[in-house]
Amino acid sequence: MANLKELAARGDKFTGGHRACAGCGATIVARQALLAAGDKPVVATCATGCLEVVSTIFPYTAWDVPFIHSAFENSAATISGVEAAYKSLKRQGTVKEDIRFMAFGGDGGTYDIGLQALSGAMERGHNMLYICYDNQAYMNTGIQRSSATPKGSATTTSPNGKKIPGKVQFRKNLTEIIAAHGIPYVAQSVVGNWSDFTKKVEKALAKGGPAFIAVLQPCRLGWGYPPELTAEMGRLAVDTNFWPLYEVEDGKYKINYTPKERKPITEWLFQQERFRHLKRPENQAILEEIQKDIDLRWENLGKKCSQ
Amino acid sequence: MSKQIKLWQGNEACAEGAMYAGCDFFGGYPITPSTEVAEILASLLPKAGGKFIQMEDEIAGIGTILGAAAAGAKSMTSTSGPGFSLMMELLGYGCMAEIPCVIVNVQRAGPSTGLPTKGAQADVMQTRWGTHGDHPTIALCPSSIEESFKLTVKAFNLAEKFRMPVILLLDEFIGHMREKMEVPRPGELEIYNHPRPKVDPKEYQHYADGSSVGGPYAAMGSGYRFNITGLTHDKHGFPTARLDEIQWKMDRLRDKIDRHLAELTEVEEEFLDDAEIVIFSYGAAARSSQQAVRQSRAKGIKAGLLRPTTIWPFPDRIVTDVLKKCRTMLVAEISQGQLVYEVERCNKSSTPVVPVLRYDGEMITPAQILKAVEEAQK
């Protein structure tokens, strides 16, 4: 893996000067992913969402690689077309170089509206890496719940009130859905652990074939925490086992990091405005449910790793 | 009871209008500039015993309201350009299966992602012809906050009566504008609910003659057995390939509109009696047009305004008559010109028709329209 010194020397292919919020995690994902891609040329697509909106405000762009913003639901389908055309052009001898194909999408464009396009691309087996920057709600349109929003989280369409204490449902486990496609490489990473993410991007690209990385991306606006804590919020999600760092390589599960001592989920929840109401005594049962769910998911993941 | 005066946004008035009309189900997906409609209904509907569901995309949004409507709920979704495009297939399904619902499109500038936070009126032909196949269309277009409320109520009434999806064509300008309105009291506006069948379930035909407009039809699960499909079907709802039944179904759909034009057509007029120069304008653009007409009158120019609040069906006969009487008709639209072709189609008197257009995401101004009036006056 490239070390920090080497990465720093590479020069950003996703540059500063964009319009993201202070402390935005999505732009960190894009910058680190492109840095990890190394010297080989990259083509990137991006679904509609925060990352696209903040990085390409006319007449500026933060992308120093060929970049296509497709429709909301089509990032994976568009990169499929680019990659398939590239294969054909390469066969015909028009293109000589090795090119890497990366698709980006938020949780809205990946878990929800873009799931069909993503599943199709993974199943067809394009040589591409799909990176989901998962900030757990539709932040671009003003914080509506998505199927990645965790239970108990308040959003504008799952508000905390008398009837419901934030989102009622548990979040969908997209990483497992994509792993079920039986593709060469699937992983979970997090903003706040650059070496884990860099390693995984390098590995995904080196494997060839379809690959998927879900990156938990703290969002200071939608989650409600001071902007300087983005990396810390990511790491805490890992230390509480809420977001395990693991990979599925050729069907084999591996946990990449096990906390020395699993922290209680409240340590992560209580630093965020979106969970503030869970501090109230009447919501104690929800906290217990959330903790139970995390422990169960961790246990199940452990079983998969020992198989 | 004292008057209830509100300083509402167009989207807010639309959501409140839906509640007034008795909407009990909303399914949809957030998209700028329509999101407030969903957000407000997410708060209002559960309190009134209704149901709000945020779906995974706009296809699912319209899919779920069609299901809810078939089950008997008064249903609505709201969206903007990209989402409206995704809804096109199921819009046609709603027409074919004759399922009442309201689809709100708060228009933004396109094509594609376009200008999410800026307005336009460029979905008007998509509203008419966006889904494939011959089909009926009813679309209403408010010019004010009060109309946003009232036309939402009317959209529900027409959906119930004509047994089909009705489109409320808002735009970003009206959707996000705030102005004062007096909230209609309960009972002040008519609320139409379609009759339920009383016949013996053995006799029931879901698409019986006479049930297409104002007639009875049953909800799923109410004791009547029928089939619902997007395939061309017979009176029971079962797919058919019989030529006479196909003809019957297609005529039935067309006649919903064609035999009720007088009832469906609705226009507002200002200074039309002696007008030499008439501005045809609707939605947000009509607000600037209205101002331009008043300024023209102050300058001694005989200008008038023809403003349809029902866009589809198009007010053919009225436009033809007004064209005969006036010297020039200006068509002020926030697009590259769409309804201007409809006006031309109605022009039996070779009256000059002049488009006045703006399509950079900003509101068309009274000054631009006034200038066009003055040029036409020369």
Side-chain angles (χ1 to χ4, degrees), chain A residues 48 69-73 108 112-113 138 141-142 144-146 156-157 163, chain B residues 29-32 35 38-39 42 46 52 54-58 86 112-113:
Chain A
T48 301
H69 161 227
S70 186
F72 195 4
E73 66 279 18
D112 292 341
I113 197 169
Y138 305 154
T141 43
Q144 293 84 18
R145 60 91 88 184
S146 77
T156 50
T157 51
K163 298 272 179 188
Chain B
Y29 193 71
I31 181 169
T32 307
T35 304
E39 284 181 345
F52 170 92
Q54 185 189 299
M55 300 301 287
E56 70 274 18
D57 61 24
E58 288 87 350
L86 286 176
S112 190
T113 313

PDB file of all heavy atoms in Angstrom, chain A residues 48 69-73 108 112-113 138 141-142 144-146 156-157 163, chain B residues 29-32 35 38-39 42 46 52 54-58 86 112-113:
ATOM      1  N   THR A  48     -26.514  12.017  -8.989  1.00  0.00           N
ATOM      2  CA  THR A  48     -26.973  13.285  -8.420  1.00  0.00           C
ATOM      3  C   THR A  48     -26.863  13.203  -6.904  1.00  0.00           C
ATOM      4  O   THR A  48     -27.160  12.174  -6.307  1.00  0.00           O
ATOM      5  CB  THR A  48     -28.433  13.535  -8.831  1.00  0.00           C
ATOM      6  OG1 THR A  48     -28.511  13.568 -10.257  1.00  0.00           O
ATOM      7  CG2 THR A  48     -28.953  14.847  -8.283  1.00  0.00           C
ATOM      8  N   HIS A  69     -21.504  13.408 -14.726  1.00  0.00           N
ATOM      9  CA  HIS A  69     -22.644  13.357 -13.816  1.00  0.00           C
ATOM     10  C   HIS A  69     -23.820  12.813 -14.612  1.00  0.00           C
ATOM     11  O   HIS A  69     -24.264  13.405 -15.576  1.00  0.00           O
ATOM     12  CB  HIS A  69     -22.976  14.751 -13.271  1.00  0.00           C
ATOM     13  CG  HIS A  69     -24.364  14.844 -12.704  1.00  0.00           C
ATOM     14  ND1 HIS A  69     -25.225  15.874 -13.003  1.00  0.00           N
ATOM     15  CD2 HIS A  69     -25.046  14.006 -11.885  1.00  0.00           C
ATOM     16  CE1 HIS A  69     -26.371  15.670 -12.381  1.00  0.00           C
ATOM     17  NE2 HIS A  69     -26.303  14.539 -11.706  1.00  0.00           N
ATOM     18  N   SER A  70     -24.289  11.645 -14.214  1.00  0.00           N
ATOM     19  CA  SER A  70     -25.435  11.049 -14.892  1.00  0.00           C
ATOM     20  C   SER A  70     -26.703  11.467 -14.149  1.00  0.00           C
ATOM     21  O   SER A  70     -26.677  12.417 -13.388  1.00  0.00           O
ATOM     22  CB  SER A  70     -25.236   9.543 -14.888  1.00  0.00           C
ATOM     23  OG  SER A  70     -26.227   8.927 -15.640  1.00  0.00           O
ATOM     24  N   ALA A  71     -27.803  10.774 -14.372  1.00  0.00           N
ATOM     25  CA  ALA A  71     -29.014  11.066 -13.601  1.00  0.00           C
ATOM     26  C   ALA A  71     -28.849  10.492 -12.197  1.00  0.00           C
ATOM     27  O   ALA A  71     -27.838   9.877 -11.882  1.00  0.00           O
ATOM     28  CB  ALA A  71     -30.236  10.495 -14.297  1.00  0.00           C
ATOM     29  N   PHE A  72     -29.846  10.681 -11.368  1.00  0.00           N
ATOM     30  CA  PHE A  72     -29.768  10.273  -9.963  1.00  0.00           C
ATOM     31  C   PHE A  72     -29.557   8.762  -9.835  1.00  0.00           C
ATOM     32  O   PHE A  72     -28.788   8.286  -9.019  1.00  0.00           O
ATOM     33  CB  PHE A  72     -31.068  10.696  -9.286  1.00  0.00           C
ATOM     34  CG  PHE A  72     -31.051  10.691  -7.792  1.00  0.00           C
ATOM     35  CD1 PHE A  72     -29.897  10.401  -7.078  1.00  0.00           C
ATOM     36  CD2 PHE A  72     -32.192  10.999  -7.087  1.00  0.00           C
ATOM     37  CE1 PHE A  72     -29.893  10.412  -5.696  1.00  0.00           C
ATOM     38  CE2 PHE A  72     -32.200  11.009  -5.716  1.00  0.00           C
ATOM     39  CZ  PHE A  72     -31.060  10.714  -5.018  1.00  0.00           C
ATOM     40  N   GLU A  73     -30.252   8.004 -10.675  1.00  0.00           N
ATOM     41  CA  GLU A  73     -30.311   6.556 -10.492  1.00  0.00           C
ATOM     42  C   GLU A  73     -29.311   5.792 -11.351  1.00  0.00           C
ATOM     43  O   GLU A  73     -29.285   4.577 -11.327  1.00  0.00           O
ATOM     44  CB  GLU A  73     -31.733   6.063 -10.793  1.00  0.00           C
ATOM     45  CG  GLU A  73     -32.196   6.221 -12.245  1.00  0.00           C
ATOM     46  CD  GLU A  73     -32.684   7.621 -12.599  1.00  0.00           C
ATOM     47  OE1 GLU A  73     -32.368   8.569 -11.859  1.00  0.00           O
ATOM     48  OE2 GLU A  73     -33.353   7.768 -13.625  1.00  0.00           O
ATOM     49  N   GLY A 108     -28.662   7.780  -1.078  1.00  0.00           N
ATOM     50  CA  GLY A 108     -29.891   7.885  -1.873  1.00  0.00           C
ATOM     51  C   GLY A 108     -29.703   7.260  -3.241  1.00  0.00           C
ATOM     52  O   GLY A 108     -30.491   6.424  -3.679  1.00  0.00           O
ATOM     53  N   ASP A 112     -31.129   3.319  -2.557  1.00  0.00           N
ATOM     54  CA  ASP A 112     -32.537   3.466  -2.936  1.00  0.00           C
ATOM     55  C   ASP A 112     -32.715   3.521  -4.461  1.00  0.00           C
ATOM     56  O   ASP A 112     -32.840   2.509  -5.101  1.00  0.00           O
ATOM     57  CB  ASP A 112     -33.131   4.709  -2.260  1.00  0.00           C
ATOM     58  CG  ASP A 112     -33.234   4.543  -0.751  1.00  0.00           C
ATOM     59  OD1 ASP A 112     -33.195   3.387  -0.288  1.00  0.00           O
ATOM     60  OD2 ASP A 112     -33.339   5.545  -0.045  1.00  0.00           O
ATOM     61  N   ILE A 113     -32.682   4.730  -5.015  1.00  0.00           N
ATOM     62  CA  ILE A 113     -33.059   4.876  -6.423  1.00  0.00           C
ATOM     63  C   ILE A 113     -32.067   4.189  -7.366  1.00  0.00           C
ATOM     64  O   ILE A 113     -32.431   3.738  -8.441  1.00  0.00           O
ATOM     65  CB  ILE A 113     -33.250   6.365  -6.781  1.00  0.00           C
ATOM     66  CG1 ILE A 113     -34.023   6.526  -8.088  1.00  0.00           C
ATOM     67  CG2 ILE A 113     -31.931   7.117  -6.862  1.00  0.00           C
ATOM     68  CD1 ILE A 113     -34.474   7.952  -8.359  1.00  0.00           C
ATOM     69  N   TYR A 138     -30.853  11.738   2.808  1.00  0.00           N
ATOM     70  CA  TYR A 138     -30.747  12.575   1.606  1.00  0.00           C
ATOM     71  C   TYR A 138     -30.350  13.981   2.037  1.00  0.00           C
ATOM     72  O   TYR A 138     -31.199  14.836   2.249  1.00  0.00           O
ATOM     73  CB  TYR A 138     -32.083  12.628   0.859  1.00  0.00           C
ATOM     74  CG  TYR A 138     -32.664  11.296   0.477  1.00  0.00           C
ATOM     75  CD1 TYR A 138     -34.026  11.138   0.311  1.00  0.00           C
ATOM     76  CD2 TYR A 138     -31.842  10.194   0.264  1.00  0.00           C
ATOM     77  CE1 TYR A 138     -34.564   9.912  -0.049  1.00  0.00           C
ATOM     78  CE2 TYR A 138     -32.375   8.973  -0.093  1.00  0.00           C
ATOM     79  CZ  TYR A 138     -33.740   8.835  -0.239  1.00  0.00           C
ATOM     80  OH  TYR A 138     -34.275   7.632  -0.588  1.00  0.00           O
ATOM     81  N   THR A 141     -31.083  17.229  -0.522  1.00  0.00           N
ATOM     82  CA  THR A 141     -32.410  17.838  -0.630  1.00  0.00           C
ATOM     83  C   THR A 141     -32.941  18.290   0.728  1.00  0.00           C
ATOM     84  O   THR A 141     -34.102  18.653   0.848  1.00  0.00           O
ATOM     85  CB  THR A 141     -33.433  16.873  -1.280  1.00  0.00           C
ATOM     86  OG1 THR A 141     -33.260  15.571  -0.727  1.00  0.00           O
ATOM     87  CG2 THR A 141     -33.257  16.808  -2.776  1.00  0.00           C
ATOM     88  N   GLY A 142     -32.095  18.228   1.764  1.00  0.00           N
ATOM     89  CA  GLY A 142     -32.534  18.768   3.044  1.00  0.00           C
ATOM     90  C   GLY A 142     -32.874  17.732   4.088  1.00  0.00           C
ATOM     91  O   GLY A 142     -33.797  17.907   4.875  1.00  0.00           O
ATOM     92  N   GLN A 144     -33.780  14.127   4.254  1.00  0.00           N
ATOM     93  CA  GLN A 144     -34.908  13.195   4.361  1.00  0.00           C
ATOM     94  C   GLN A 144     -34.356  11.790   4.624  1.00  0.00           C
ATOM     95  O   GLN A 144     -33.236  11.482   4.239  1.00  0.00           O
ATOM     96  CB  GLN A 144     -35.734  13.188   3.070  1.00  0.00           C
ATOM     97  CG  GLN A 144     -36.462  14.497   2.792  1.00  0.00           C
ATOM     98  CD  GLN A 144     -35.596  15.516   2.093  1.00  0.00           C
ATOM     99  OE1 GLN A 144     -34.575  15.180   1.512  1.00  0.00           O
ATOM    100  NE2 GLN A 144     -35.992  16.777   2.161  1.00  0.00           N
ATOM    101  N   ARG A 145     -35.172  10.952   5.223  1.00  0.00           N
ATOM    102  CA  ARG A 145     -34.693   9.612   5.566  1.00  0.00           C
ATOM    103  C   ARG A 145     -34.424   8.791   4.299  1.00  0.00           C
ATOM    104  O   ARG A 145     -35.068   8.950   3.269  1.00  0.00           O
ATOM    105  CB  ARG A 145     -35.695   8.880   6.468  1.00  0.00           C
ATOM    106  CG  ARG A 145     -37.074   8.672   5.874  1.00  0.00           C
ATOM    107  CD  ARG A 145     -37.198   7.382   5.138  1.00  0.00           C
ATOM    108  NE  ARG A 145     -37.583   6.284   5.986  1.00  0.00           N
ATOM    109  CZ  ARG A 145     -37.674   5.028   5.535  1.00  0.00           C
ATOM    110  NH1 ARG A 145     -37.420   4.740   4.265  1.00  0.00           N
ATOM    111  NH2 ARG A 145     -38.031   4.055   6.339  1.00  0.00           N
ATOM    112  N   SER A 146     -33.456   7.904   4.381  1.00  0.00           N
ATOM    113  CA  SER A 146     -33.218   6.946   3.303  1.00  0.00           C
ATOM    114  C   SER A 146     -33.260   5.558   3.927  1.00  0.00           C
ATOM    115  O   SER A 146     -33.432   5.418   5.141  1.00  0.00           O
ATOM    116  CB  SER A 146     -31.857   7.194   2.644  1.00  0.00           C
ATOM    117  OG  SER A 146     -30.815   6.690   3.466  1.00  0.00           O
ATOM    118  N   THR A 156     -36.228  15.027   8.254  1.00  0.00           N
ATOM    119  CA  THR A 156     -37.443  15.809   8.020  1.00  0.00           C
ATOM    120  C   THR A 156     -38.630  14.913   7.677  1.00  0.00           C
ATOM    121  O   THR A 156     -39.768  15.316   7.867  1.00  0.00           O
ATOM    122  CB  THR A 156     -37.244  16.843   6.895  1.00  0.00           C
ATOM    123  OG1 THR A 156     -36.678  16.187   5.765  1.00  0.00           O
ATOM    124  CG2 THR A 156     -36.343  17.970   7.332  1.00  0.00           C
ATOM    125  N   THR A 157     -38.394  13.721   7.155  1.00  0.00           N
ATOM    126  CA  THR A 157     -39.523  12.831   6.865  1.00  0.00           C
ATOM    127  C   THR A 157     -39.606  11.660   7.850  1.00  0.00           C
ATOM    128  O   THR A 157     -40.436  10.769   7.680  1.00  0.00           O
ATOM    129  CB  THR A 157     -39.487  12.296   5.418  1.00  0.00           C
ATOM    130  OG1 THR A 157     -38.205  11.750   5.166  1.00  0.00           O
ATOM    131  CG2 THR A 157     -39.778  13.395   4.414  1.00  0.00           C
ATOM    132  N   LYS A 163     -45.618  11.003  18.044  1.00  0.00           N
ATOM    133  CA  LYS A 163     -46.005   9.700  17.501  1.00  0.00           C
ATOM    134  C   LYS A 163     -44.810   8.780  17.297  1.00  0.00           C
ATOM    135  O   LYS A 163     -44.894   7.595  17.553  1.00  0.00           O
ATOM    136  CB  LYS A 163     -46.737   9.882  16.164  1.00  0.00           C
ATOM    137  CG  LYS A 163     -48.015  10.662  16.272  1.00  0.00           C
ATOM    138  CD  LYS A 163     -49.201   9.752  16.591  1.00  0.00           C
ATOM    139  CE  LYS A 163     -50.454  10.595  16.725  1.00  0.00           C
ATOM    140  NZ  LYS A 163     -51.588   9.848  17.210  1.00  0.00           N
TER     141      LYS A 163
ATOM    142  N   TYR B  29     -41.170  11.059  -3.105  1.00  0.00           N
ATOM    143  CA  TYR B  29     -39.723  11.088  -2.975  1.00  0.00           C
ATOM    144  C   TYR B  29     -39.289  12.547  -2.994  1.00  0.00           C
ATOM    145  O   TYR B  29     -39.767  13.309  -3.837  1.00  0.00           O
ATOM    146  CB  TYR B  29     -39.139  10.356  -4.185  1.00  0.00           C
ATOM    147  CG  TYR B  29     -37.687   9.997  -4.092  1.00  0.00           C
ATOM    148  CD1 TYR B  29     -37.264   9.002  -3.229  1.00  0.00           C
ATOM    149  CD2 TYR B  29     -36.746  10.636  -4.882  1.00  0.00           C
ATOM    150  CE1 TYR B  29     -35.929   8.646  -3.161  1.00  0.00           C
ATOM    151  CE2 TYR B  29     -35.403  10.277  -4.812  1.00  0.00           C
ATOM    152  CZ  TYR B  29     -35.005   9.286  -3.949  1.00  0.00           C
ATOM    153  OH  TYR B  29     -33.686   8.927  -3.879  1.00  0.00           O
ATOM    154  N   PRO B  30     -38.413  12.953  -2.094  1.00  0.00           N
ATOM    155  CA  PRO B  30     -38.050  14.373  -2.055  1.00  0.00           C
ATOM    156  C   PRO B  30     -37.292  14.819  -3.310  1.00  0.00           C
ATOM    157  O   PRO B  30     -36.424  14.094  -3.788  1.00  0.00           O
ATOM    158  CB  PRO B  30     -37.145  14.481  -0.826  1.00  0.00           C
ATOM    159  CG  PRO B  30     -36.659  13.101  -0.564  1.00  0.00           C
ATOM    160  CD  PRO B  30     -37.718  12.171  -1.062  1.00  0.00           C
ATOM    161  N   ILE B  31     -37.677  15.951  -3.846  1.00  0.00           N
ATOM    162  CA  ILE B  31     -36.919  16.535  -4.957  1.00  0.00           C
ATOM    163  C   ILE B  31     -37.182  18.043  -4.969  1.00  0.00           C
ATOM    164  O   ILE B  31     -38.331  18.478  -4.861  1.00  0.00           O
ATOM    165  CB  ILE B  31     -37.280  15.875  -6.313  1.00  0.00           C
ATOM    166  CG1 ILE B  31     -36.444  16.480  -7.454  1.00  0.00           C
ATOM    167  CG2 ILE B  31     -38.759  15.991  -6.630  1.00  0.00           C
ATOM    168  CD1 ILE B  31     -36.524  15.719  -8.771  1.00  0.00           C
ATOM    169  N   THR B  32     -36.126  18.803  -5.073  1.00  0.00           N
ATOM    170  CA  THR B  32     -36.231  20.249  -5.190  1.00  0.00           C
ATOM    171  C   THR B  32     -36.879  20.565  -6.535  1.00  0.00           C
ATOM    172  O   THR B  32     -36.510  19.937  -7.521  1.00  0.00           O
ATOM    173  CB  THR B  32     -34.825  20.872  -5.125  1.00  0.00           C
ATOM    174  OG1 THR B  32     -34.175  20.389  -3.945  1.00  0.00           O
ATOM    175  CG2 THR B  32     -34.878  22.386  -5.106  1.00  0.00           C
ATOM    176  N   THR B  35     -40.114  19.564  -2.534  1.00  0.00           N
ATOM    177  CA  THR B  35     -39.964  18.803  -1.289  1.00  0.00           C
ATOM    178  C   THR B  35     -40.898  19.265  -0.163  1.00  0.00           C
ATOM    179  O   THR B  35     -41.378  18.444   0.612  1.00  0.00           O
ATOM    180  CB  THR B  35     -38.498  18.849  -0.828  1.00  0.00           C
ATOM    181  OG1 THR B  35     -37.700  18.363  -1.912  1.00  0.00           O
ATOM    182  CG2 THR B  35     -38.246  17.986   0.381  1.00  0.00           C
ATOM    183  N   ALA B  38     -44.156  17.363   0.289  1.00  0.00           N
ATOM    184  CA  ALA B  38     -44.001  16.084   0.992  1.00  0.00           C
ATOM    185  C   ALA B  38     -43.729  16.309   2.477  1.00  0.00           C
ATOM    186  O   ALA B  38     -44.336  15.653   3.335  1.00  0.00           O
ATOM    187  CB  ALA B  38     -42.868  15.276   0.367  1.00  0.00           C
ATOM    188  N   GLU B  39     -42.840  17.235   2.777  1.00  0.00           N
ATOM    189  CA  GLU B  39     -42.466  17.456   4.180  1.00  0.00           C
ATOM    190  C   GLU B  39     -43.672  17.888   5.016  1.00  0.00           C
ATOM    191  O   GLU B  39     -43.861  17.426   6.140  1.00  0.00           O
ATOM    192  CB  GLU B  39     -41.352  18.501   4.283  1.00  0.00           C
ATOM    193  CG  GLU B  39     -40.000  17.924   3.895  1.00  0.00           C
ATOM    194  CD  GLU B  39     -38.866  18.926   4.017  1.00  0.00           C
ATOM    195  OE1 GLU B  39     -39.145  20.135   4.126  1.00  0.00           O
ATOM    196  OE2 GLU B  39     -37.712  18.502   3.994  1.00  0.00           O
ATOM    197  N   ALA B  42     -46.007  15.045   5.432  1.00  0.00           N
ATOM    198  CA  ALA B  42     -45.442  14.060   6.380  1.00  0.00           C
ATOM    199  C   ALA B  42     -45.845  14.424   7.795  1.00  0.00           C
ATOM    200  O   ALA B  42     -46.020  13.556   8.650  1.00  0.00           O
ATOM    201  CB  ALA B  42     -43.922  14.018   6.264  1.00  0.00           C
ATOM    202  N   PRO B  46     -50.369  12.119   9.179  1.00  0.00           N
ATOM    203  CA  PRO B  46     -50.543  11.194  10.311  1.00  0.00           C
ATOM    204  C   PRO B  46     -51.456  11.758  11.390  1.00  0.00           C
ATOM    205  O   PRO B  46     -52.228  11.029  11.997  1.00  0.00           O
ATOM    206  CB  PRO B  46     -49.113  11.017  10.846  1.00  0.00           C
ATOM    207  CG  PRO B  46     -48.230  11.381   9.703  1.00  0.00           C
ATOM    208  CD  PRO B  46     -48.963  12.453   8.950  1.00  0.00           C
ATOM    209  N   PHE B  52     -48.495   8.765   5.303  1.00  0.00           N
ATOM    210  CA  PHE B  52     -47.422   9.319   4.471  1.00  0.00           C
ATOM    211  C   PHE B  52     -46.347   8.255   4.334  1.00  0.00           C
ATOM    212  O   PHE B  52     -45.922   7.683   5.331  1.00  0.00           O
ATOM    213  CB  PHE B  52     -46.831  10.568   5.126  1.00  0.00           C
ATOM    214  CG  PHE B  52     -45.571  11.061   4.453  1.00  0.00           C
ATOM    215  CD1 PHE B  52     -45.644  12.012   3.447  1.00  0.00           C
ATOM    216  CD2 PHE B  52     -44.324  10.544   4.802  1.00  0.00           C
ATOM    217  CE1 PHE B  52     -44.495  12.453   2.804  1.00  0.00           C
ATOM    218  CE2 PHE B  52     -43.170  10.982   4.161  1.00  0.00           C
ATOM    219  CZ  PHE B  52     -43.251  11.941   3.163  1.00  0.00           C
ATOM    220  N   GLN B  54     -42.544   7.769   2.489  1.00  0.00           N
ATOM    221  CA  GLN B  54     -41.469   8.188   1.594  1.00  0.00           C
ATOM    222  C   GLN B  54     -40.958   6.943   0.896  1.00  0.00           C
ATOM    223  O   GLN B  54     -40.516   5.986   1.527  1.00  0.00           O
ATOM    224  CB  GLN B  54     -40.348   8.844   2.376  1.00  0.00           C
ATOM    225  CG  GLN B  54     -39.272   9.389   1.452  1.00  0.00           C
ATOM    226  CD  GLN B  54     -38.065   9.851   2.224  1.00  0.00           C
ATOM    227  OE1 GLN B  54     -38.164  10.738   3.049  1.00  0.00           O
ATOM    228  NE2 GLN B  54     -36.939   9.224   1.977  1.00  0.00           N
ATOM    229  N   MET B  55     -41.040   6.932  -0.414  1.00  0.00           N
ATOM    230  CA  MET B  55     -40.664   5.755  -1.185  1.00  0.00           C
ATOM    231  C   MET B  55     -39.194   5.833  -1.603  1.00  0.00           C
ATOM    232  O   MET B  55     -38.522   6.818  -1.349  1.00  0.00           O
ATOM    233  CB  MET B  55     -41.575   5.626  -2.401  1.00  0.00           C
ATOM    234  CG  MET B  55     -43.031   5.494  -2.036  1.00  0.00           C
ATOM    235  SD  MET B  55     -43.400   4.073  -0.981  1.00  0.00           S
ATOM    236  CE  MET B  55     -43.232   2.745  -2.173  1.00  0.00           C
ATOM    237  N   GLU B  56     -38.714   4.783  -2.297  1.00  0.00           N
ATOM    238  CA  GLU B  56     -37.292   4.762  -2.650  1.00  0.00           C
ATOM    239  C   GLU B  56     -36.996   5.530  -3.931  1.00  0.00           C
ATOM    240  O   GLU B  56     -35.842   5.815  -4.216  1.00  0.00           O
ATOM    241  CB  GLU B  56     -36.766   3.326  -2.738  1.00  0.00           C
ATOM    242  CG  GLU B  56     -37.267   2.510  -3.921  1.00  0.00           C
ATOM    243  CD  GLU B  56     -38.591   1.825  -3.659  1.00  0.00           C
ATOM    244  OE1 GLU B  56     -39.303   2.212  -2.718  1.00  0.00           O
ATOM    245  OE2 GLU B  56     -38.933   0.884  -4.413  1.00  0.00           O
ATOM    246  N   ASP B  57     -37.982   5.837  -4.719  1.00  0.00           N
ATOM    247  CA  ASP B  57     -37.796   6.715  -5.871  1.00  0.00           C
ATOM    248  C   ASP B  57     -39.177   7.139  -6.381  1.00  0.00           C
ATOM    249  O   ASP B  57     -40.196   6.764  -5.803  1.00  0.00           O
ATOM    250  CB  ASP B  57     -36.947   6.058  -6.981  1.00  0.00           C
ATOM    251  CG  ASP B  57     -37.578   4.795  -7.546  1.00  0.00           C
ATOM    252  OD1 ASP B  57     -38.801   4.636  -7.450  1.00  0.00           O
ATOM    253  OD2 ASP B  57     -36.828   3.952  -8.095  1.00  0.00           O
ATOM    254  N   GLU B  58     -39.179   7.897  -7.485  1.00  0.00           N
ATOM    255  CA  GLU B  58     -40.451   8.444  -7.965  1.00  0.00           C
ATOM    256  C   GLU B  58     -41.312   7.384  -8.644  1.00  0.00           C
ATOM    257  O   GLU B  58     -42.536   7.498  -8.675  1.00  0.00           O
ATOM    258  CB  GLU B  58     -40.205   9.604  -8.929  1.00  0.00           C
ATOM    259  CG  GLU B  58     -39.700  10.878  -8.247  1.00  0.00           C
ATOM    260  CD  GLU B  58     -38.191  10.930  -8.076  1.00  0.00           C
ATOM    261  OE1 GLU B  58     -37.514   9.891  -8.309  1.00  0.00           O
ATOM    262  OE2 GLU B  58     -37.679  11.998  -7.714  1.00  0.00           O
ATOM    263  N   LEU B  86     -39.632  10.079 -14.560  1.00  0.00           N
ATOM    264  CA  LEU B  86     -39.656   8.680 -14.111  1.00  0.00           C
ATOM    265  C   LEU B  86     -41.086   8.165 -13.934  1.00  0.00           C
ATOM    266  O   LEU B  86     -41.329   6.970 -13.994  1.00  0.00           O
ATOM    267  CB  LEU B  86     -38.903   8.539 -12.784  1.00  0.00           C
ATOM    268  CG  LEU B  86     -37.379   8.623 -12.861  1.00  0.00           C
ATOM    269  CD1 LEU B  86     -36.779   8.567 -11.461  1.00  0.00           C
ATOM    270  CD2 LEU B  86     -36.804   7.490 -13.695  1.00  0.00           C
ATOM    271  N   SER B 112     -33.160  17.254 -18.119  1.00  0.00           N
ATOM    272  CA  SER B 112     -32.373  16.476 -17.168  1.00  0.00           C
ATOM    273  C   SER B 112     -32.341  17.176 -15.805  1.00  0.00           C
ATOM    274  O   SER B 112     -33.303  17.797 -15.420  1.00  0.00           O
ATOM    275  CB  SER B 112     -30.973  16.209 -17.702  1.00  0.00           C
ATOM    276  OG  SER B 112     -30.315  15.272 -16.881  1.00  0.00           O
ATOM    277  N   THR B 113     -31.221  17.097 -15.110  1.00  0.00           N
ATOM    278  CA  THR B 113     -31.150  17.702 -13.778  1.00  0.00           C
ATOM    279  C   THR B 113     -31.364  19.210 -13.874  1.00  0.00           C
ATOM    280  O   THR B 113     -31.902  19.829 -12.961  1.00  0.00           O
ATOM    281  CB  THR B 113     -29.798  17.368 -13.118  1.00  0.00           C
ATOM    282  OG1 THR B 113     -29.549  15.974 -13.287  1.00  0.00           O
ATOM    283  CG2 THR B 113     -29.800  17.686 -11.649  1.00  0.00           C
TER     284      THR B 113
END
